[in-house]
Amino acid sequence: MIEVALFGAGRIGAIHAGNIARQPGVRLKYVVDVDAAAATKLAQSHGAQTTDAAHVFDDTAVRAVAIGSSTDTHADLITRAAKAGKAIFCEKPVDLDLQRARTCADAVRAAGVTCLIGFQRRYDPTFASVKARIARGDIGRPEMLIVTSRDPGAPPVDYIKRSGGIYKDMLIHDFDVFRWIMEDEAATVYATGSCLVDPAIEAAGDVDATAVTIRTRDGRLAQINTIRRAAYGYDQRFEVLGSKGMLQAGNHRPTEALLWSTDAVAADKPEYFFLERYRAAYAAEMAHFFDVVAGRAAAVTSIDDGVKALALAEAATTSWREKRIVEL
Amino acid sequence: MIEVALFGAGRIGAIHAGNIARQPGVRLKYVVDVDAAAATKLAQSHGAQTTDAAHVFDDTAVRAVAIGSSTDTHADLITRAAKAGKAIFCEKPVDLDLQRARTCADAVRAAGVTCLIGFQRRYDPTFASVKARIARGDIGRPEMLIVTSRDPGAPPVDYIKRSGGIYKDMLIHDFDVFRWIMEDEAATVYATGSCLVDPAIEAAGDVDATAVTIRTRDGRLAQINTIRRAAYGYDQRFEVLGSKGMLQAGNHRPTEALLWSTDAVAADKPEYFFLERYRAAYAAEMAHFFDVVAGRAAAVTSIDDGVKALALAEAATTSWREKRIVEL
Amino acid sequence: MIEVALFGAGRIGAIHAGNIARQPGVRLKYVVDVDAAAATKLAQSHGAQTTDAAHVFDDTAVRAVAIGSSTDTHADLITRAAKAGKAIFCEKPVDLDLQRARTCADAVRAAGVTCLIGFQRRYDPTFASVKARIARGDIGRPEMLIVTSRDPGAPPVDYIKRSGGIYKDMLIHDFDVFRWIMEDEAATVYATGSCLVDPAIEAAGDVDATAVTIRTRDGRLAQINTIRRAAYGYDQRFEVLGSKGMLQAGNHRPTEALLWSTDAVAADKPEYFFLERYRAAYAAEMAHFFDVVAGRAAAVTSIDDGVKALALAEAATTSWREKRIVEL
Amino acid sequence: MIEVALFGAGRIGAIHAGNIARQPGVRLKYVVDVDAAAATKLAQSHGAQTTDAAHVFDDTAVRAVAIGSSTDTHADLITRAAKAGKAIFCEKPVDLDLQRARTCADAVRAAGVTCLIGFQRRYDPTFASVKARIARGDIGRPEMLIVTSRDPGAPPVDYIKRSGGIYKDMLIHDFDVFRWIMEDEAATVYATGSCLVDPAIEAAGDVDATAVTIRTRDGRLAQINTIRRAAYGYDQRFEVLGSKGMLQAGNHRPTEALLWSTDAVAADKPEYFFLERYRAAYAAEMAHFFDVVAGRAAAVTSIDDGVKALALAEAATTSWREKRIVEL
């Protein structure tokens, strides 16, 4: 039985708790959160206890930790967990500061522990199928990548202020998709952004819409378009053009009902937001984490993936702020 | 130059006139219609003359006739054209009376002339593609056929009264599709009908909705569903299940625009009605007719196809009226 | 805490066990199966015990039973559970014999217990959405129903022999869909069947393909087409034409990936078979059952629905065997 | 009767000749081409004569000219036609040299004649429908535009060398789509390009794949991705995200047949290339031209649109060559 501690009893923490509970051979032992009431409620619903971080790292029976607490706690918890020799699953980003993230990655490497960063899109059935088909050679060599990544609505400005900006908050996922699909690193990044949704976001020093172009070291091309508000919901698509064809990863819909009316033939809008769209991805991600912990699989991501996506986000932020093409 | 006479200057006559005018090496010489004004207008717009039927059949320079006049004139015009040795294109049905249609077919056979009956669906790009892929073996042996054939709205009751009933007026096309796709004849027909759209149609002794089942001589199965009113427009689909797969022939849409709104993801409704949906089919049909007349192609349909579809329509009518399974 | 006993530790029993285990406030107490090894394995994986039927019915702590054992045990287990005052969930059919099913329904009614028959399609997200939109008035009054219901492959002939025939085994689900969607009963049923897939099925006195037409008491029309083998997988669709529009319930696909190649633009085939396609439906069905047991919801189906679908299956069987239209 | 002269008897000239012939009240009088045989053949098939440019401009009966000859002849023919007071339709581009194009535009303005530049995509049924729905307010204010524009295969390098480069040859259409849909001008353009298809194109000093980002003067964003080879054919799509929704303009397919096989559910690939995809657009464009000539409609494009799209192409070329963001 693998015993696990979960940091964070919020919305994403609850998702992870449920997925941990469903893993055979795994037991959720602790839930840790500064919000004691939330921690207690989540712990009780899964037969776990609440405790604090120090206790978790001292408990040698805990083999793995899942970190879904606020971003500013990630690097510290990862570092302490690594030193305590525990396998780590942590939500993105490692940290908003690239240097701190690199230091944290050094600690993980030094400890030699597993550290999976929560790029859940890699486990989405549709996205993973596209990746597998590329690997199988269905489209030849990937040459161009077009990513569409739009939220249904903008969060409160308070969230924006703590988010690290649109590139570290939203596009970090898309930068990981880019690295995962193209299997290459960026040579140059160009980002231009605008505030099209909420002027308060501009006042907070951020943008809510952006167009990013990445050129890989071997000259292949990627474009990402992102906005914090799409009236029709959460829009998560990408397409990869290869030398022999194209693969498109489309949105998921709640149902396959079609209404033929006097107006149109209407299908469902996409799944509402990330908790719905990536429900299966979060489950598969956690299953993968415990496969790695149990020695049944090699980790598909490492903390380096977290650092490299963050480096891209930082480069994009610079490109947007300084209105220039950034070389990496 | 092949000289042609057209009977009928109404809606379908105008379509045929335009398509005849577009054939290279073909000249529309005459337009004949009891409505002299309509005949004159259509003739003038294509540089043709108006005349009467007798004159057409006497003019040995006329090699082909296209008959798009009212149903009650078809058998007589076909018979006279056949005796005059002219190639014949005629709209369905040959006649509303099966015996008269058979006599007419005898006359055509005796004369040895081409007589194409206007089952334009065979020339529709989508339907023809399905047929070609079946012939190529894409789905193995066709085993089940499901035909959906719905009009956007019911015609005036006056039309209904002269129409021969829903089976001879609407389903005759579907019966031809059945014979064309399954390449077999019906062993039994079962039809049940209802008046769901307009009570005046029931008062006229007809139904406006029907479900038909055909069993072929070798035990394969077909179902047809038809109604005179689909709120979303003209619905023309069929699907063929074969031993190795299925082919679906879908509706055509005016555009490939998609609207993603707060309500739904909405595509266009189907093309409005037969003149829009089968525009390409009518053109291809007429091109085929003149390929046959010019000796460049063998006719894909004969008057026998018209008679056999009519026999199915008659059997279905009997099944509906007498509430019994009809054997053929 | 609602304590539950599960009858049947086979493929569908395992699905139900998992879904029972996921219900909050519900505990799987017993697993009963003539195959002791299977019962033990399933019980252990959910922390339950194995026992026999008599013990279940004697244990007053057991408030509900879920019956997923072989068809020939259903009526007896339902009757005994009803007498013991337990809430009942039972897989379809109630029994292969209509009279026995009716007697069983009488016992349930006399006992006044909940008895949900496992028509899981009613809980499928797509099917349920179509039902809800009809109720909301999106298409006006439902007038025509077309059901496509095809299995990916035929079962062994041994299964066929015990199945009660294609109408009681496969189409009973479609008959329930008909009653649920049209909210009316059949006035007449016509069924014609063929053996198109496996001659051994014909030798066993059954057919493997059928076309069924149902006319409701108020003259609305339904067609069902079914076959035991579709090369492309499990095909589960229906469409309802109403006075104001049409709703289509389509297949579910494993992913939303599209491959654009030199050949075609290719989407996934449908989910492989019922365990995949109706995975969400089975979960929602069991959640509904416990909502009913806990008094949070009224049952959407009763044993009468099981009996009425069976009566339709029997009428269809008679129609097929006797080559006649059957009146109900 | 409007008499017309056509310059250019090549592939696109033949399309225009056919469309001119189909306009009511219009007569194709002359065909002019340096290839006398091609001119004669095209002229004869439409009952026109061959002649030279001087004769066309001297013939006061000629009210309109259609220019589909090689790019290097456009500016001269436009200028002479303008001076002769004739209405002008000309294929894109006005000229490969921006200054020459501007001088030519001055001549047109001075003459006060109609000069429609052949941006046929504006007349495509799908693209035009998207434009109309934006105008109707279906998606609120357009904020982001994503254009996918891919050719099925690269042309010979000889063509590339005369083409003016990918931005003036291919993307000029996409730049016009950008201006047409966003109804704003570019503030900055960023283009990065690669040679991914054919090294000979690189040797010729051009690229065959590019990613372009345009920022409008009011901060809205557009991305264009283009390549000279898509294995699955001609890919012509765009999508516009607005404040209230999104409109997508999709590819057109030859048929609406779907093959459900053991592998996949496969639809047709897109129409093969521009002559197929834009067949309806070319017809509608010519009809619009003669509506303008006859005074029945105001021109939807002017020579200024040709000049402005060319200016964008020049800016993109500079951005690509000099690896910098270009301000306009």
Side-chain angles (χ1 to χ4, degrees):
Chain A
M1 188 65 66
I2 298 168
E3 296 193 330
V4 189
L6 170 68
F7 293 89
R11 195 166 52 165
I12 194 71
I15 298 288
H16 291 322
N19 286 327
I20 292 168
R22 267 189 275 281
Q23 304 308 318
V26 172
R27 188 167 82 86
L28 180 61
K29 188 171 190 179
Y30 300 120
V31 174
V32 184
D33 200 299
V34 290
D35 178 343
T40 301
K41 190 177 168 207
L42 189 59
Q44 282 179 347
S45 74
H46 290 95
Q49 309 159 240
T50 59
T51 189
D52 59 19
H55 188 81
V56 165
F57 297 125
D58 286 345
D59 184 343
T60 53
V62 171
R63 280 177 57 191
V65 299
I67 305 171
S69 47
S70 63
T71 296
D72 57 358
T73 67
H74 290 185
D76 179 58
L77 290 172
I78 291 173
T79 306
R80 290 166 71 187
K83 284 181 182 158
K86 305 199 187 300
I88 303 158
F89 167 85
C90 183
E91 276 301 310
K92 64 85 200 168
V94 177
D95 196 89
L96 294 179
D97 180 81
L98 183 55
Q99 191 45 55
R100 276 200 79 195
R102 285 185 172 139
T103 304
C104 181
D106 291 342
V108 167
R109 259 190 306 272
V113 297
T114 290
C115 181
L116 218 68
I117 300 300
F119 291 124
Q120 87 284 353
R121 295 186 194 179
R122 294 194 183 205
Y123 308 90
D124 174 74
T126 295
F127 286 15
S129 164
V130 165
K131 172 75 176 177
R133 293 184 201 194
I134 295 171
R136 203 169 70 187
D138 283 11
I139 59 164
R141 183 190 181 223
E143 293 175 342
M144 299 185 89
L145 172 70
I146 312 299
V147 180
T148 297
S149 185
R150 301 170 184 160
D151 277 3
V157 169
D158 275 354
Y159 174 90
I160 297 282
K161 286 176 182 164
R162 287 176 286 110
S163 72
I166 195 170
Y167 302 101
K168 290 183 184 171
D169 185 49
M170 280 185 74
L171 283 94
I172 195 165
H173 283 292
D174 307 303
F175 293 135
D176 184 63
V177 166
F178 157 76
R179 294 185 59 253
W180 177 53
I181 293 295
M182 299 303 267
E183 294 189 345
D184 194 1
E185 300 296 341
T188 64
V189 174
Y190 167 72
T192 181
S194 282
C195 202
L196 300 172
V197 177
D198 181 357
I201 292 175
E202 189 162 31
D206 201 357
V207 288
D208 52 33
T210 185
V212 176
T213 304
I214 307 174
R215 196 184 162 85
T216 68
R217 291 188 296 209
D218 56 5
R220 294 175 298 143
L221 306 172
Q223 286 187 314
I224 303 167
N225 74 85
T226 306
I227 192 165
R228 285 208 184 263
R229 178 263 298 119
Y232 53 88
Y234 192 47
D235 193 351
Q236 297 283 294
R237 290 172 284 146
F238 68 81
E239 65 181 55
V240 200
L241 177 73
S243 52
K244 296 182 186 166
M246 173 172 62
L247 277 159
Q248 286 183 318
N251 284 306
H252 293 183
R253 290 184 289 231
T255 82
E256 294 299 322
L258 273 187
L259 175 62
W260 300 57
S261 73
T262 51
D263 291 331
V265 178
D268 279 11
K269 292 187 297 177
E271 293 278 8
Y272 175 63
F273 206 0
F274 66 99
L275 294 179
E276 291 80 16
R277 163 58 194 268
Y278 292 120
R279 191 174 45 83
Y282 286 121
E285 178 184 62
M286 202 51 80
H288 172 67
F289 177 56
F290 288 105
D291 281 346
V292 174
V293 173
R296 289 187 299 266
V300 304
T301 60
S302 75
I303 192 167
D304 284 342
D305 294 303
V307 172
K308 282 173 176 158
L310 187 67
L312 267 169
E314 189 136 306
T317 307
T318 302
S319 174
W320 157 59
R321 282 226 179 94
E322 304 183 3
K323 297 184 197 304
R324 63 178 178 91
I325 304 158
V326 173
E327 294 191 28
L328 284 110
Chain B
M1 188 64 65
I2 297 169
E3 297 193 330
V4 190
L6 170 68
F7 293 89
R11 195 166 52 166
I12 194 69
I15 298 289
H16 291 322
N19 286 326
I20 291 168
R22 268 188 275 281
Q23 305 306 318
V26 172
R27 188 169 81 87
L28 179 61
K29 187 171 190 178
Y30 300 120
V31 175
V32 183
D33 201 297
V34 290
D35 179 342
T40 301
K41 191 178 167 206
L42 188 60
Q44 282 178 348
S45 75
H46 290 95
Q49 308 158 241
T50 59
T51 189
D52 59 21
H55 187 82
V56 166
F57 298 125
D58 285 348
D59 184 342
T60 54
V62 171
R63 279 179 57 192
V65 299
I67 305 172
S69 46
S70 62
T71 295
D72 56 358
T73 66
H74 290 185
D76 178 59
L77 290 172
I78 291 173
T79 306
R80 289 165 72 188
K83 284 181 182 158
K86 306 198 184 301
I88 303 160
F89 166 85
C90 184
E91 276 300 311
K92 64 86 201 167
V94 177
D95 196 90
L96 294 178
D97 180 81
L98 183 56
Q99 191 46 54
R100 275 201 79 196
R102 284 185 172 137
T103 305
C104 180
D106 290 343
V108 167
R109 258 190 307 274
V113 297
T114 291
C115 181
L116 218 68
I117 300 300
F119 291 124
Q120 86 284 353
R121 295 186 194 179
R122 294 195 182 203
Y123 309 89
D124 174 74
T126 296
F127 287 14
S129 164
V130 165
K131 171 75 177 177
R133 294 185 202 194
I134 294 171
R136 205 169 70 188
D138 283 10
I139 58 164
R141 183 188 182 227
E143 295 174 341
M144 298 185 89
L145 171 69
I146 312 299
V147 180
T148 297
S149 184
R150 300 168 185 162
D151 277 3
V157 169
D158 275 355
Y159 174 90
I160 297 282
K161 286 176 183 167
R162 286 176 286 108
S163 72
I166 196 169
Y167 301 102
K168 290 183 183 173
D169 184 48
M170 281 185 74
L171 283 94
I172 195 164
H173 283 292
D174 307 303
F175 293 134
D176 185 63
V177 166
F178 157 77
R179 295 184 60 251
W180 178 52
I181 293 296
M182 299 301 267
E183 295 188 344
D184 193 2
E185 301 295 340
T188 63
V189 174
Y190 166 73
T192 180
S194 282
C195 202
L196 300 172
V197 178
D198 182 356
I201 291 175
E202 189 162 30
D206 201 357
V207 287
D208 52 34
T210 185
V212 175
T213 303
I214 307 174
R215 196 185 161 83
T216 67
R217 291 187 296 208
D218 56 6
R220 295 174 298 144
L221 306 172
Q223 286 187 314
I224 303 166
N225 74 84
T226 306
I227 192 165
R228 285 207 183 265
R229 179 263 299 119
Y232 52 89
Y234 193 46
D235 194 350
Q236 296 283 295
R237 291 172 284 146
F238 67 81
E239 65 180 55
V240 200
L241 177 73
S243 51
K244 296 182 186 165
M246 171 170 64
L247 277 160
Q248 286 183 318
N251 284 307
H252 293 182
R253 291 183 288 233
T255 82
E256 294 299 323
L258 272 187
L259 175 63
W260 300 57
S261 74
T262 52
D263 292 330
V265 179
D268 279 11
K269 293 188 295 177
E271 293 277 8
Y272 176 61
F273 206 1
F274 66 99
L275 293 179
E276 291 80 15
R277 164 59 194 267
Y278 292 119
R279 191 175 45 84
Y282 286 120
E285 177 185 63
M286 203 50 80
H288 172 68
F289 176 58
F290 288 105
D291 281 347
V292 174
V293 173
R296 289 187 299 264
V300 304
T301 59
S302 74
I303 193 167
D304 284 341
D305 294 302
V307 171
K308 281 172 176 160
L310 185 67
L312 267 168
E314 189 137 306
T317 307
T318 302
S319 174
W320 156 60
R321 282 225 179 94
E322 304 184 1
K323 298 185 197 301
R324 63 178 179 90
I325 305 158
V326 173
E327 295 192 27
L328 285 109
Chain C
M1 188 65 65
I2 298 169
E3 297 192 330
V4 190
L6 171 68
F7 294 89
R11 195 165 51 165
I12 194 70
I15 298 289
H16 291 322
N19 285 327
I20 291 167
R22 267 189 275 280
Q23 304 307 318
V26 173
R27 189 168 81 86
L28 180 62
K29 187 170 191 178
Y30 300 120
V31 174
V32 184
D33 200 298
V34 290
D35 178 343
T40 300
K41 191 178 167 205
L42 188 60
Q44 282 178 348
S45 73
H46 291 94
Q49 308 159 240
T50 60
T51 189
D52 60 20
H55 188 81
V56 165
F57 296 126
D58 285 346
D59 184 343
T60 54
V62 170
R63 279 177 58 193
V65 299
I67 304 172
S69 47
S70 63
T71 295
D72 56 359
T73 66
H74 290 185
D76 178 59
L77 290 173
I78 290 173
T79 306
R80 290 166 70 188
K83 286 181 181 158
K86 306 198 185 301
I88 303 159
F89 167 85
C90 184
E91 276 300 310
K92 63 88 200 165
V94 177
D95 196 90
L96 293 179
D97 180 82
L98 183 56
Q99 191 45 55
R100 276 200 79 196
R102 284 185 172 136
T103 304
C104 180
D106 291 343
V108 168
R109 259 190 307 272
V113 296
T114 290
C115 181
L116 218 67
I117 300 301
F119 291 124
Q120 87 284 354
R121 295 186 195 179
R122 294 194 183 205
Y123 309 90
D124 174 74
T126 296
F127 287 14
S129 164
V130 166
K131 172 74 177 178
R133 293 184 202 194
I134 294 171
R136 203 169 69 187
D138 282 10
I139 59 164
R141 183 190 184 224
E143 294 175 340
M144 298 185 90
L145 171 69
I146 312 297
V147 180
T148 297
S149 185
R150 301 169 184 160
D151 278 3
V157 169
D158 275 355
Y159 174 90
I160 296 283
K161 286 175 183 166
R162 286 176 286 110
S163 71
I166 195 169
Y167 301 102
K168 291 184 183 170
D169 184 49
M170 280 185 74
L171 283 95
I172 195 164
H173 283 292
D174 307 302
F175 294 134
D176 184 62
V177 166
F178 157 76
R179 293 185 60 251
W180 178 53
I181 292 295
M182 299 302 268
E183 294 189 345
D184 193 2
E185 301 296 340
T188 63
V189 175
Y190 167 73
T192 180
S194 282
C195 202
L196 300 172
V197 178
D198 182 356
I201 292 175
E202 189 163 31
D206 201 357
V207 288
D208 52 34
T210 185
V212 175
T213 303
I214 306 175
R215 197 185 161 84
T216 67
R217 290 187 296 209
D218 56 6
R220 294 174 298 143
L221 306 173
Q223 286 186 315
I224 303 166
N225 74 84
T226 307
I227 191 165
R228 285 208 184 263
R229 179 263 299 119
Y232 54 89
Y234 192 47
D235 194 351
Q236 296 283 294
R237 291 172 284 147
F238 69 80
E239 65 180 56
V240 199
L241 177 73
S243 51
K244 295 182 186 164
M246 172 172 62
L247 277 160
Q248 285 183 317
N251 284 307
H252 293 183
R253 290 183 288 232
T255 82
E256 294 299 323
L258 273 187
L259 174 62
W260 300 57
S261 73
T262 51
D263 292 330
V265 178
D268 279 10
K269 293 188 297 178
E271 292 277 9
Y272 175 63
F273 206 0
F274 66 99
L275 294 179
E276 291 80 16
R277 163 59 194 267
Y278 291 119
R279 191 175 45 83
Y282 286 120
E285 178 185 62
M286 202 51 80
H288 172 68
F289 177 57
F290 287 106
D291 281 346
V292 173
V293 173
R296 289 187 298 266
V300 305
T301 59
S302 75
I303 193 166
D304 284 342
D305 294 302
V307 172
K308 282 172 177 159
L310 186 67
L312 267 169
E314 189 136 307
T317 307
T318 301
S319 175
W320 157 60
R321 282 226 178 93
E322 303 184 3
K323 296 183 196 304
R324 63 180 178 89
I325 304 158
V326 173
E327 295 191 28
L328 283 110
Chain D
M1 188 65 65
I2 297 169
E3 297 193 331
V4 191
L6 170 69
F7 294 89
R11 195 166 51 166
I12 195 70
I15 298 289
H16 291 321
N19 286 325
I20 292 168
R22 268 188 275 281
Q23 305 307 317
V26 173
R27 189 168 81 86
L28 179 61
K29 187 171 191 178
Y30 299 121
V31 175
V32 184
D33 201 299
V34 290
D35 179 342
T40 301
K41 191 179 167 205
L42 188 59
Q44 281 179 347
S45 74
H46 291 94
Q49 307 159 241
T50 60
T51 188
D52 59 21
H55 188 81
V56 166
F57 298 124
D58 286 346
D59 183 343
T60 53
V62 171
R63 279 178 58 192
V65 299
I67 304 171
S69 46
S70 63
T71 295
D72 57 357
T73 66
H74 290 184
D76 179 59
L77 290 173
I78 291 173
T79 307
R80 289 165 72 188
K83 285 181 182 159
K86 306 200 184 300
I88 303 159
F89 167 86
C90 184
E91 277 300 310
K92 64 86 200 167
V94 177
D95 196 89
L96 293 178
D97 180 81
L98 183 55
Q99 192 46 55
R100 275 200 81 195
R102 284 183 174 140
T103 306
C104 181
D106 291 342
V108 167
R109 259 190 307 273
V113 296
T114 291
C115 180
L116 219 68
I117 300 300
F119 292 124
Q120 87 283 354
R121 294 186 195 179
R122 295 194 182 204
Y123 309 90
D124 174 74
T126 295
F127 287 15
S129 164
V130 165
K131 172 75 177 177
R133 293 185 202 194
I134 294 171
R136 204 169 69 187
D138 283 10
I139 59 164
R141 184 190 182 225
E143 295 174 341
M144 299 186 88
L145 171 69
I146 312 298
V147 180
T148 297
S149 184
R150 301 169 185 161
D151 277 3
V157 169
D158 274 355
Y159 174 90
I160 297 282
K161 286 175 182 166
R162 286 175 287 110
S163 72
I166 195 169
Y167 302 101
K168 291 183 183 171
D169 185 48
M170 281 185 74
L171 283 95
I172 195 163
H173 284 292
D174 306 303
F175 294 134
D176 184 63
V177 166
F178 156 77
R179 295 184 61 251
W180 178 53
I181 293 295
M182 299 302 267
E183 294 188 345
D184 194 2
E185 301 296 339
T188 63
V189 174
Y190 167 72
T192 181
S194 282
C195 202
L196 301 171
V197 177
D198 183 356
I201 292 175
E202 189 162 31
D206 201 358
V207 288
D208 51 34
T210 185
V212 176
T213 303
I214 306 174
R215 197 184 161 83
T216 67
R217 291 188 296 209
D218 56 6
R220 295 174 297 142
L221 306 172
Q223 286 187 314
I224 303 166
N225 74 84
T226 306
I227 191 164
R228 285 206 183 266
R229 179 264 298 119
Y232 53 89
Y234 193 47
D235 193 351
Q236 296 283 294
R237 290 172 285 146
F238 68 81
E239 65 180 55
V240 199
L241 177 73
S243 51
K244 296 183 186 165
M246 172 172 62
L247 277 160
Q248 286 183 318
N251 284 307
H252 294 182
R253 292 184 287 232
T255 81
E256 294 300 322
L258 273 187
L259 175 62
W260 300 57
S261 73
T262 51
D263 291 330
V265 178
D268 279 11
K269 292 188 298 178
E271 293 276 9
Y272 175 63
F273 207 2
F274 66 100
L275 294 180
E276 291 79 16
R277 164 59 194 268
Y278 293 118
R279 191 174 46 82
Y282 286 121
E285 177 185 62
M286 202 51 79
H288 172 68
F289 176 58
F290 288 106
D291 281 346
V292 174
V293 173
R296 289 187 299 265
V300 303
T301 60
S302 74
I303 192 166
D304 284 342
D305 294 301
V307 172
K308 282 172 177 159
L310 186 68
L312 268 168
E314 189 135 307
T317 307
T318 301
S319 174
W320 156 60
R321 283 226 178 95
E322 304 184 3
K323 298 184 195 302
R324 64 178 178 91
I325 304 158
V326 172
E327 296 191 26
L328 284 110

